[in-house]
Amino acid sequence: MGIEDLKNKKIAVLCGGISGEREVSLRSGKRVFDSIVSQGLNAVLIDTKEDFIPVLRQHKIGLACIMLHGTYGEDGAIQGLLEVLGIPYTGSKVLASALGMNKVASKRVWESQNIPTPKYIAIDPFESIEKQCDRIKNIFPFPLVVKPVSEGSSLGVTILTNDKDLVKTVKDAVEKFRDVFIEEFISGVQVTVGVIGTGNDLKALPVLELRPKSEFYDYNAKYTKGMTQFIIPAGLPKLVYSKVQQTAIDAFKAIGCHGFARIDMIVDSDGTPYVHDANTIPGMTDLSDLPAQAQSDGMSYDELVIRILESAL
Ligand SMILES: Nc1ncnc2c1ncn2[C@@H]1O[C@H](COP(=O)(O)OP(=O)(O)O)[C@@H](O)[C@H]1O
Ligand SMILES: [Mg+2]
């Protein structure tokens, strides 16, 4: 399959939407749309915040390129809708999207496959937060991480160094996100690895190391130029480097991802990569990690876009 199979299809690049990552998605979508058009393919850019189903019909869309992040875009919802409408779409299918978006579900899958992931406790939003926090304090040493189960872009992620603000932080997070969990803090090298391919034909791209100038890789560090130092390929010992790439492939496969995804890990001082996040629709802006990883492997942005489109066929 190649660009020829894509030429006779009208492609819809879906972006924007209603999630907390709307702004990033608009940028990813526009950049991908420009690349598709510049390669002589026929595309429309559609913001799914609008009533977009009639637009899909009106344009007789033959392939949807989903560049949505977060709720309704990355979580299986739009994937299910496109299945029902009979429109082929890029990337992971319904189940893998839903699993990947839910960090607790992902972690349960990784644990069951012996893929290292930080220890965690899910917060029950309907039980006393005080009691749960008391229990957590007895199990986890500080620092620890409070995270929403289904967000991205570091939204709602808080690192606590002592128990002073634990109850309040968890309460606020439950109020805002409802489903929240506590994760063991892993100190080490932060890396992210793009994986592309389908079935057993999977390839891990070069390992990207992230050195945020802020306390951790928060929203600001992610989307402000100069707030993070990127090192690619990461300066890890050779054996650790290949273990990180293999772990990314294992984590991708365990969730059942398809086409492309980015796996976030922290490599501790023993060289163990702890998987903490699967991004089934990673950012595709000019500053995003996946295009940088592809580039470092000799794959241009445009070639990466074609690979992503082919995952729909
Ligand atoms: N267990 C952890 N230990 C240390 N830092 C963490 C941990 N989990 C997350 N972080 C930090 O928070 C950032 C965002 O968390 P992540 O799990 O990647 O969620 P998302 O990117 O979906 O918001 C990470 O890139 C990392 O900087
Ligand atoms: Mg992440």
Side-chain angles (χ1 to χ4, degrees), residues 1 194-205 246 248-250 252-253 257-261 299 307 310-311:
M1 260 169 303
V195 178
I196 52 174
T198 55
N200 277 333
D201 181 21
L202 299 176
K203 178 186 166 73
L205 293 171
Q246 187 55 50
I249 290 180
D250 293 345
F252 181 104
K253 262 185 142 165
C257 297
H258 176 88
F260 69 119
M299 184 189 287
R307 285 297 296 266
E310 282 170 353
S311 72

Side-chain angles (χ1 to χ4, degrees), residues 96 147 256:
K147 273 190 211 184

